[in-house]
Amino acid sequence: MKRIYTAANLPDAHLVRNMLEQAGIPAHIFNANAIGALGDLPMSAAYPQVWISQVHQEQHARAVVAEYSRASVPSEAKSCGTCSESSPGEFELCWNCGGELPVHS
Ligand SMILES: [Zn+2]
């Protein structure tokens, strides 16, 4: 068994597990019921965790998780190639000079 992901909440953990299983990687959620019954546990120990059962699939699993994280995290600020101002990641044009911003890969 290998922990591959610590989720912020249970729906998050289920999404990751579903993505892993669709990729052919058997996965399990631990700590599914821990939130709300924390007791003395440090918070970080109580988040739902996604574990894979086949350690040799770790690399593949991490790629799946990375793909998930990239899709769900707000895009980073982009800096304008013309005036060097930074704009929010969802902008296509620089707010300052109107120049085209680089597209995230
Ligand atoms: Zn600009």
Side-chain angles (χ1 to χ4, degrees), residues 23-65:
I25 303 169
H28 309 271
I29 295 174
F30 288 154
N31 279 348
N33 301 311
I35 290 178
L38 292 178
D40 299 327
L41 287 174
M43 278 303 290
S44 62
Y47 288 119
Q49 297 173 348
V50 181
W51 290 61
I52 58 170
S53 39
Q54 305 296 324
V55 174
H56 71 269
Q57 291 181 312
E58 178 181 356
Q59 209 172 0
H60 186 188
R62 289 201 183 280
V64 171
V65 170

Side-chain angles (χ1 to χ4, degrees), residues 2 8 22 30 34 65 68 70-71 80 87 90-91 105:
K2 182 97 190 167
Q22 275 168 22
F30 288 154
V65 170
Y68 170 76
R70 196 158 42 235
C80 176
S87 296
E90 63 270 25
F91 281 30
S105 56

Side-chain angles (χ1 to χ4, degrees), residues 5-6 8 14 16 28 30 34 37 39 49-50 60 69 82 85 99-100 102:
Y5 185 71
T6 301
H14 277 287
V16 169
H28 309 271
F30 288 154
Q49 297 173 348
V50 181
H60 186 188
S69 304
T82 308
E85 273 297 337
E100 265 188 58

Side-chain angles (χ1 to χ4, degrees), residues 80 83 94 97:
C80 176
C83 70
C94 173
C97 72

